Amino acid sequence: MEATAAAMAMQKSPGAPRALNEGTQVRVPASRSVVSGAALPRCSQPAACLSKATQTSKWTGNWKPEKLAKLREANPFASFRRGLKMPHGARADSQSLQDEQVKTGQPGTQKQSVPSKIVDRKESSTPKEHMKAWKEEITSMLGGKEGNWEDSKWFQSQIDKRCVDNMRMLTVDAVNTAKAGHPGLPLGMAEVGYVLWRYVMKFNPKNPNWFNRDRFVLSAGHGCLLQYITLHLSGYDSVQIEDLKRLCQIGSRTPGHPENVTTDGIEVTTGPLGQGVANAVGLALAEKHLAARFNKHDGKIVDHRTFCIMGDGCAMEGITNEAASLAAHWKLNKLTVIYDDNHNTIDGDTSLAFSEDVGARFEALGWNRVVIDNIYHDIDSFKEAVLNFAGKSDKPTFIQVKSRIGRESVKENTAKAHHGTFDEDDVKHMHKNLKWENREPFYVIPQVYEEFTDHAKHGISEEEEWNEALEDYSKKYPEEARNFKELISGELPKDWEKAIPHFPEDEKIDATRGYSETCLNAVAKVLPGLIGGSADLASSNKVYMKDFPDFSAETPEGRNIRYGIREHAMAGISNGLALHNSGLIPIAATFLIFSDYMKNSMRLSALSEAGVIYILTHDSIGLGEDGPTHQPVEQLAGLRAIPGMYVLRPADAKEVAGAYKVAISRRHAPTVLSLSRQKVAANVGGTSAEGVLKGGYVVSDNTDENSLPELILIGTGTELALCEKSAETLRQEGKKVRVVSLVCWQLFDQQPEEYREKILPSAMEKRISVEAGSPFGWREYVGSKGKILAVYTFGCSGAYTKVFEKYGFTAENITDVAQKLLTETETRNQN
C-alpha cells in the first residue's frame, strides 16, 4: 500500500453534492425510522441519500503537488490576520479597562497570552512506518486478531475508533487527576469532536485568529474537556499535555468551563446553558453580514462555517429557542448545531421535567434536521451528515445525535456520569474494554497526533490560499479590500470621534434617548462596523441607523438588526458578533427594566471581554405612566456590580456625546448607556463631554478656590438638572455649594486618588446624592454623614412629574433636605 489508510479514505470522489430541497429531513442511518413519533425518510445508504458523491476536497484537501510542497514548508504566521489581530489574552484587570481607551479614542492595551512550548512530538513518520504502527496498535485493540488490512475503509474506521478511545482515556485521566470536572459529555460525544477536528473544520492551530477559520462553540460548556483535548491533539500551543493535567486549577489554561480570554482556540466563553447557541448565531450572523458586504462573484474572501454543540440543558433554556428562531428567520445556512441527545441532566433522566421533541421543535422553527441513530458503530454517518448535508440549503442545520452520556464507563447513560471522578474499578473496567492496560495516565498514541495534525496542516495551506485570494481581491477591488482590512483589524477609523455631534446652547430640549439617536446616526456614518438594533423597541429607544437597511435573509448587508421581543438572545447574539473579532461593534437596545431578561448574557459580555454597547432607555421611575412593572429601581445597582461593565447615566446632550466616546472606544469590554424617556435641557449647567471621560467631575461651584464648599450635591442622569436648580436656590441663600456629575462610577473609581479627592474632598462630609433608583452603593460616595435621595420601594403609575414629586425628586425637596443637613451639622457642631 502506497499511502496511509487515513489518506486513502480521504481521496476525492467524483461528482458534486446534490442540493437539498426545502424542508428536507434525513435520518442517518435508517436502522430506525421514527424519532419521538415523527416519521423520517428511510435511508439504507446515507451517502446515497445525501449525495452520490462525498464532498471532501474542501475539508481534507486534494492538494496539487506545488501546494503540498508549500504546505510542508508553510509559515504558520504568514497571515494578514496574524499581523492585525485584535488583542487576545489573559483577562484584563481593572487597570487595563481604565480611561486610557476613552482618552485616545482607541482600544486600550491588553496583555497578550504567552503560549507554552509546542508539545514534544515525534517527527511525522513515513507512510510505511505510520501504517506499521497503526497495524500494531489495532492488532492489540483487537486482542491479537488479524485485521482486514487491505480494506482501506475498514482500516480507517479502526484508526478512527482508536483515536476516539484515546480521547476518552484523556478525559478520564484529566478528571481523576483534577478530582473535578464533567466527563459525561466528552465521553459521550468524543466521536463528534473527533470528526469535527479531524475531518471537517478548517483552522490553523498556529494562528488561532486567522479570520476565515471555522468557528466552534461548546454551548454545553461543562463538557470543555472535549474541546481542550481536540485543541491539544490538533496542535494548539494553548493546550499542552500539562494543561490537561491542570484541569480546573487556579491559573491554568483549562478552566472548568471554556473561556475565550484564557485559552487560544476558544471562541466564546460558555457555561450558563444556552448561551453558546446564541453566541453561535451571532458568529454566523457576522459571517453572513460580512460576506454580503465584501464578497464578489469572482472574489470570495468571507467564507466559513459555525458549529455548535448543545445539550439537553441548552434545549430547556429559553435563550436557545429565542436564538434558534432568529437563526431560521435569517436563514443562517452556514450554522450547524449538533444536539447531544442523551436524555440526562444533573438530577436524572430528562423525563423528570422534559418530554418535548426537540428536533421537531427546530424543524418547526425552520431548521433542517438530521438524526444520527448510532454514531458509536457508524461514525461515518455523522461525518457524511456534516460534510454533505449541512449548509446545502438556505436553512441552518440541526443534527440530532443519539448519544450516551459517560460512554464506556460503568456510569454510562446515567445522570451520575455528568460530573465527578471515576473509582479504581471503573478505570479498570474502561482500560479492559478499550484494551488500554499498562499505559500511564495521559498517554497519547503517537499516530493519534499525526491523524489530527495531518488535517490541521491543511489549515496552514488553506490560510495561504486565503491570503492569496485576498491579494488577488485587493488588485481587483482596492477600495473594498482596504475597507475590509481596516474593519477586521479591529482598529477604529482615524479621527472617528470628530463625528460625535457638538450640541449648541440653543439645542432643542429632548430626552437623553433623543440626543442618543442623534449621536448614533452621526457615528454610524464613520464606523463601518457599527451593527445592531433593538428588541422590538426601536421607535421607543431611538436606536435605528436611518441611512442603512435592515439585516435580513434578503438584505444581509444591512446594519439594523430587528431582534423582535427576544432580549436574552439579543444580548447573547451580540456577544457572538463582538467575539467574531472582525471589527463589528454590536449595539443591543431595550428598556432598562428588561435588562433583567438578559442579565446573564450581559455578565458574560464582561467576562469574555466583548465590546457590546447596551443602550437601555426609560431608565427610572421618570418614565411615568407605565407604572412599577416598567420603572427600574434596582437595575442600575445590579449592572454597576458587574466587574468590567461601565454604566454611564448621562445628564444631557453633552454628556450623551461623551458617553458615546467612552462606549465606542471600549472594544474589549461592554458599556451600558442608561437614558431617559423624559426630556431634559440639552445643556445643564457646566456639563461637558470631556468631563464624562473621568466618570465624575464638578459641574458648578461657587466656592472660593482655596476653600471647601459647605455642601456637595451629587447627581446622575436627569436628576443632575434638579441638583443644579437646587444649588442655585441655596447659593442665593449664601451657601457655598458644589454640584458633581457622577456619570460613571467605574470610570471615576479608576481615576488617581488625587483627582478623586479634588472632586469629592474627604474633609467635606455634607453630601447628598440624587438618583431616581436604588440607594445601593451610594453610601460610598456620600459618606456616613451624607444623605441619599433614592427610591426605596417600587414606583407607581402616573405622569412622570407627579411620580417624581411623590418620591421627592424635585429641586424644592433637594433644597429642603440640604437645609436640614446643614442645620443638623451646625447643631451637632454647637453641641
Side-chain angles (χ1 to χ4, degrees), residues 171-201:
T171 297
V172 173
D173 295 338
V175 168
N176 274 8
T177 299
K179 296 181 171 55
H182 298 79
L185 184 149
L187 292 177
M189 294 286 279
E191 282 81 359
V192 168
Y194 173 72
V195 168
L196 290 178
W197 292 88
R198 170 62 184 87
Y199 290 110
V200 176
M201 294 196 304

Side-chain angles (χ1 to χ4, degrees), residues 411-470:
K411 303 175 187 177
E412 181 177 324
N413 212 33
T414 70
K416 293 180 180 179
H418 176 266
H419 65 276
T421 58
F422 301 92
D423 61 29
E424 186 177 348
D425 289 340
D426 200 353
V427 174
K428 288 181 179 178
H429 164 81
M430 283 183 275
H431 280 186
K432 182 178 180 181
N433 275 5
L434 300 181
K435 300 296 189 292
W436 206 260
E437 297 96 335
N438 303 318
R439 281 178 168 167
E440 294 295 320
F442 297 98
Y443 177 77
V444 178
I445 301 167
Q447 305 89 263
V448 170
Y449 281 130
E450 293 187 30
E451 289 294 316
F452 275 87
T453 56
D454 178 65
H455 178 68
K457 286 177 183 177
H458 295 157
I460 297 173
S461 184
E462 285 178 304
E463 182 175 352
E464 275 198 343
E465 289 185 340
W466 181 78
N467 284 325
E468 292 172 1
L470 181 59

Side-chain angles (χ1 to χ4, degrees), residues 81-94:
R81 187 71 181 120
R82 166 64 72 177
L84 295 175
K85 72 171 188 174
M86 298 174 71
H88 180 248
R91 182 180 298 112
D93 57 22
S94 60

Side-chain angles (χ1 to χ4, degrees), residues 216-410:
F216 173 79
V217 178
L218 186 63
S219 186
H222 54 273
C224 57
L225 261 176
L226 179 67
Q227 197 167 6
Y228 296 151
I229 289 169
T230 51
L231 289 173
H232 170 67
L233 296 176
S234 298
Y236 281 77
D237 294 335
S238 54
V239 184
Q240 301 298 304
I241 204 73
E242 291 301 318
D243 295 301
L244 296 179
K245 294 177 181 179
R246 300 191 65 235
L247 176 70
C248 299
Q249 304 305 304
I250 292 176
S252 77
R253 294 184 293 188
T254 49
H257 288 83
E259 298 178 23
N260 65 297
V261 296
T262 300
T263 315
D264 282 339
I266 302 295
E267 301 288 355
V268 297
T269 296
T270 59
L273 297 177
Q275 289 289 335
V277 176
N279 298 159
V281 172
L283 292 168
L285 189 160
E287 194 276 345
K288 184 163 188 170
H289 171 72
L290 294 172
R293 284 176 62 174
F294 293 105
N295 284 353
K296 306 292 184 181
H297 70 281
D298 58 347
K300 186 178 288 188
I301 56 174
V302 182
D303 182 20
H304 51 267
R305 301 169 69 184
T306 301
F307 299 91
C308 174
I309 291 179
M310 62 170 272
D312 287 303
C314 299
M316 296 183 199
E317 289 286 1
I319 187 174
T320 296
N321 199 68
E322 290 182 21
S325 174
L326 283 166
H329 178 71
W330 292 328
K331 299 187 184 302
L332 302 181
N333 66 321
K334 289 187 178 179
L335 171 62
T336 300
V337 169
I338 302 155
Y339 176 30
D340 176 20
D341 185 13
N342 63 47
H343 291 277
N344 274 281
T345 57
I346 293 175
D347 281 352
D349 192 281
T350 52
S351 61
L352 292 170
F354 197 58
S355 54
E356 67 189 60
D357 185 336
V358 177
R361 190 219 303 178
F362 271 74
E363 277 189 73
L365 290 173
W367 289 59
N368 285 317
R369 177 189 181 190
V370 186
V371 178
I372 305 299
D373 275 312
N374 195 353
I375 193 171
Y376 303 125
H377 295 96
D378 186 8
I379 195 172
D380 283 346
S381 63
F382 175 71
K383 185 196 308 181
E384 291 162 357
V386 178
L387 290 176
N388 299 319
F389 184 93
K392 299 304 186 292
S393 78
D394 65 352
K395 297 181 178 183
T397 298
F398 182 78
I399 301 180
Q400 188 170 358
V401 177
K402 299 292 187 177
S403 60
R404 296 175 69 86
I405 190 172
R407 176 69 173 171
E408 300 291 358
S409 76
V410 296

